[in-house]
PDB file of all heavy atoms in Angstrom:
ATOM      1  N   LEU A  34      -6.155  35.658  -5.985  1.00  0.00           N
ATOM      2  CA  LEU A  34      -7.038  35.187  -4.904  1.00  0.00           C
ATOM      3  C   LEU A  34      -6.461  35.531  -3.529  1.00  0.00           C
ATOM      4  O   LEU A  34      -7.180  36.005  -2.638  1.00  0.00           O
ATOM      5  CB  LEU A  34      -7.243  33.670  -5.021  1.00  0.00           C
ATOM      6  CG  LEU A  34      -8.040  33.190  -6.242  1.00  0.00           C
ATOM      7  CD1 LEU A  34      -8.009  31.675  -6.336  1.00  0.00           C
ATOM      8  CD2 LEU A  34      -9.480  33.691  -6.174  1.00  0.00           C
ATOM      9  N   PRO A  48       7.921  41.835  -1.598  1.00  0.00           N
ATOM     10  CA  PRO A  48       9.362  41.561  -1.753  1.00  0.00           C
ATOM     11  C   PRO A  48       9.669  40.327  -2.606  1.00  0.00           C
ATOM     12  O   PRO A  48      10.712  40.275  -3.267  1.00  0.00           O
ATOM     13  CB  PRO A  48       9.839  41.359  -0.310  1.00  0.00           C
ATOM     14  CG  PRO A  48       8.890  42.173   0.509  1.00  0.00           C
ATOM     15  CD  PRO A  48       7.568  42.041  -0.188  1.00  0.00           C
ATOM     16  N   LEU A  69      23.452  40.372 -29.235  1.00  0.00           N
ATOM     17  CA  LEU A  69      23.543  41.247 -30.405  1.00  0.00           C
ATOM     18  C   LEU A  69      24.879  41.083 -31.122  1.00  0.00           C
ATOM     19  O   LEU A  69      24.914  40.960 -32.350  1.00  0.00           O
ATOM     20  CB  LEU A  69      23.344  42.701 -29.985  1.00  0.00           C
ATOM     21  CG  LEU A  69      21.904  43.192 -29.900  1.00  0.00           C
ATOM     22  CD1 LEU A  69      21.862  44.572 -29.270  1.00  0.00           C
ATOM     23  CD2 LEU A  69      21.268  43.236 -31.272  1.00  0.00           C
ATOM     24  N   ALA A  98       9.710  47.912 -37.012  1.00  0.00           N
ATOM     25  CA  ALA A  98       9.380  49.292 -36.644  1.00  0.00           C
ATOM     26  C   ALA A  98       7.917  49.602 -36.963  1.00  0.00           C
ATOM     27  O   ALA A  98       7.222  50.270 -36.183  1.00  0.00           O
ATOM     28  CB  ALA A  98      10.304  50.263 -37.381  1.00  0.00           C
ATOM     29  N   PRO A 113      -6.365  50.738 -23.392  1.00  0.00           N
ATOM     30  CA  PRO A 113      -6.703  49.643 -22.482  1.00  0.00           C
ATOM     31  C   PRO A 113      -6.389  49.917 -21.020  1.00  0.00           C
ATOM     32  O   PRO A 113      -6.986  49.307 -20.128  1.00  0.00           O
ATOM     33  CB  PRO A 113      -5.863  48.471 -23.013  1.00  0.00           C
ATOM     34  CG  PRO A 113      -4.731  49.122 -23.745  1.00  0.00           C
ATOM     35  CD  PRO A 113      -5.310  50.364 -24.345  1.00  0.00           C
ATOM     36  N   LEU A 169      33.731  42.729 -35.830  1.00  0.00           N
ATOM     37  CA  LEU A 169      34.264  41.381 -35.601  1.00  0.00           C
ATOM     38  C   LEU A 169      34.041  40.476 -36.809  1.00  0.00           C
ATOM     39  O   LEU A 169      34.897  39.657 -37.159  1.00  0.00           O
ATOM     40  CB  LEU A 169      33.615  40.766 -34.358  1.00  0.00           C
ATOM     41  CG  LEU A 169      34.090  41.299 -33.003  1.00  0.00           C
ATOM     42  CD1 LEU A 169      33.262  40.714 -31.873  1.00  0.00           C
ATOM     43  CD2 LEU A 169      35.567  40.981 -32.780  1.00  0.00           C
ATOM     44  N   SER A 185      30.164  31.829 -26.100  1.00  0.00           N
ATOM     45  CA  SER A 185      30.111  31.053 -24.860  1.00  0.00           C
ATOM     46  C   SER A 185      29.380  31.824 -23.773  1.00  0.00           C
ATOM     47  O   SER A 185      28.551  31.266 -23.043  1.00  0.00           O
ATOM     48  CB  SER A 185      31.536  30.710 -24.392  1.00  0.00           C
ATOM     49  OG  SER A 185      32.205  29.923 -25.338  1.00  0.00           O
ATOM     50  N   LEU A 200      11.645  30.853 -11.813  1.00  0.00           N
ATOM     51  CA  LEU A 200      11.116  31.528 -10.625  1.00  0.00           C
ATOM     52  C   LEU A 200       9.963  32.465 -10.964  1.00  0.00           C
ATOM     53  O   LEU A 200       9.378  33.061 -10.065  1.00  0.00           O
ATOM     54  CB  LEU A 200      12.235  32.328  -9.943  1.00  0.00           C
ATOM     55  CG  LEU A 200      13.450  31.529  -9.458  1.00  0.00           C
ATOM     56  CD1 LEU A 200      14.503  32.473  -8.906  1.00  0.00           C
ATOM     57  CD2 LEU A 200      13.036  30.523  -8.400  1.00  0.00           C
ATOM     58  N   LEU A 224      -7.140  43.297 -18.472  1.00  0.00           N
ATOM     59  CA  LEU A 224      -6.216  42.662 -19.406  1.00  0.00           C
ATOM     60  C   LEU A 224      -6.925  42.160 -20.664  1.00  0.00           C
ATOM     61  O   LEU A 224      -6.287  41.935 -21.686  1.00  0.00           O
ATOM     62  CB  LEU A 224      -5.499  41.494 -18.720  1.00  0.00           C
ATOM     63  CG  LEU A 224      -4.480  41.894 -17.652  1.00  0.00           C
ATOM     64  CD1 LEU A 224      -3.908  40.656 -16.984  1.00  0.00           C
ATOM     65  CD2 LEU A 224      -3.366  42.728 -18.248  1.00  0.00           C
ATOM     66  N   VAL A 268       1.001  26.186 -36.821  1.00  0.00           N
ATOM     67  CA  VAL A 268       2.046  25.514 -36.034  1.00  0.00           C
ATOM     68  C   VAL A 268       2.681  26.497 -35.053  1.00  0.00           C
ATOM     69  O   VAL A 268       2.907  26.178 -33.885  1.00  0.00           O
ATOM     70  CB  VAL A 268       3.114  24.897 -36.961  1.00  0.00           C
ATOM     71  CG1 VAL A 268       4.284  24.353 -36.148  1.00  0.00           C
ATOM     72  CG2 VAL A 268       2.512  23.799 -37.809  1.00  0.00           C
ATOM     73  N   LEU A 303      17.573  33.176 -40.517  1.00  0.00           N
ATOM     74  CA  LEU A 303      17.900  34.513 -40.006  1.00  0.00           C
ATOM     75  C   LEU A 303      16.666  35.163 -39.396  1.00  0.00           C
ATOM     76  O   LEU A 303      16.728  35.763 -38.311  1.00  0.00           O
ATOM     77  CB  LEU A 303      18.446  35.385 -41.138  1.00  0.00           C
ATOM     78  CG  LEU A 303      18.812  36.826 -40.778  1.00  0.00           C
ATOM     79  CD1 LEU A 303      19.969  36.854 -39.791  1.00  0.00           C
ATOM     80  CD2 LEU A 303      19.159  37.627 -42.029  1.00  0.00           C
ATOM     81  N   GLY A 311       5.831  40.442 -34.400  1.00  0.00           N
ATOM     82  CA  GLY A 311       4.710  40.232 -33.483  1.00  0.00           C
ATOM     83  C   GLY A 311       5.052  40.650 -32.076  1.00  0.00           C
ATOM     84  O   GLY A 311       4.242  41.265 -31.373  1.00  0.00           O
ATOM     85  N   TYR A 315       3.431  43.704 -29.777  1.00  0.00           N
ATOM     86  CA  TYR A 315       3.038  43.449 -28.380  1.00  0.00           C
ATOM     87  C   TYR A 315       3.692  44.457 -27.432  1.00  0.00           C
ATOM     88  O   TYR A 315       3.066  44.932 -26.475  1.00  0.00           O
ATOM     89  CB  TYR A 315       3.409  42.001 -28.057  1.00  0.00           C
ATOM     90  CG  TYR A 315       3.784  41.663 -26.647  1.00  0.00           C
ATOM     91  CD1 TYR A 315       2.832  41.232 -25.731  1.00  0.00           C
ATOM     92  CD2 TYR A 315       5.120  41.696 -26.236  1.00  0.00           C
ATOM     93  CE1 TYR A 315       3.190  40.873 -24.446  1.00  0.00           C
ATOM     94  CE2 TYR A 315       5.489  41.338 -24.958  1.00  0.00           C
ATOM     95  CZ  TYR A 315       4.524  40.929 -24.066  1.00  0.00           C
ATOM     96  OH  TYR A 315       4.888  40.573 -22.791  1.00  0.00           O
ATOM     97  N   THR A 319       1.526  46.857 -24.931  1.00  0.00           N
ATOM     98  CA  THR A 319       1.679  46.686 -23.481  1.00  0.00           C
ATOM     99  C   THR A 319       2.415  47.857 -22.827  1.00  0.00           C
ATOM    100  O   THR A 319       2.103  48.229 -21.697  1.00  0.00           O
ATOM    101  CB  THR A 319       2.408  45.371 -23.171  1.00  0.00           C
ATOM    102  OG1 THR A 319       3.629  45.310 -23.916  1.00  0.00           O
ATOM    103  CG2 THR A 319       1.554  44.177 -23.536  1.00  0.00           C
ATOM    104  N   THR A 342      14.089  51.216 -29.440  1.00  0.00           N
ATOM    105  CA  THR A 342      14.538  50.171 -28.516  1.00  0.00           C
ATOM    106  C   THR A 342      13.986  48.807 -28.906  1.00  0.00           C
ATOM    107  O   THR A 342      14.722  47.819 -28.999  1.00  0.00           O
ATOM    108  CB  THR A 342      14.104  50.497 -27.076  1.00  0.00           C
ATOM    109  OG1 THR A 342      14.612  51.774 -26.700  1.00  0.00           O
ATOM    110  CG2 THR A 342      14.629  49.449 -26.105  1.00  0.00           C
ATOM    111  N   GLU A 373       6.866  47.216 -12.417  1.00  0.00           N
ATOM    112  CA  GLU A 373       5.769  46.466 -11.804  1.00  0.00           C
ATOM    113  C   GLU A 373       4.713  46.048 -12.833  1.00  0.00           C
ATOM    114  O   GLU A 373       3.973  45.096 -12.617  1.00  0.00           O
ATOM    115  CB  GLU A 373       5.104  47.294 -10.704  1.00  0.00           C
ATOM    116  CG  GLU A 373       5.910  47.405  -9.414  1.00  0.00           C
ATOM    117  CD  GLU A 373       7.005  48.464  -9.486  1.00  0.00           C
ATOM    118  OE1 GLU A 373       7.197  49.067 -10.554  1.00  0.00           O
ATOM    119  OE2 GLU A 373       7.673  48.690  -8.470  1.00  0.00           O
ATOM    120  N   GLY A 380       0.846  37.125 -16.632  1.00  0.00           N
ATOM    121  CA  GLY A 380      -0.178  36.093 -16.502  1.00  0.00           C
ATOM    122  C   GLY A 380      -0.850  35.719 -17.807  1.00  0.00           C
ATOM    123  O   GLY A 380      -1.304  34.588 -17.963  1.00  0.00           O
TER     124      GLY A 380
END
Side-chain angles (χ1 to χ4, degrees):
L34 292 172
L69 274 171
L169 285 174
S185 298
L200 300 176
L224 290 176
V268 173
L303 179 65
Y315 149 92
T319 52
T342 303
E373 285 81 356

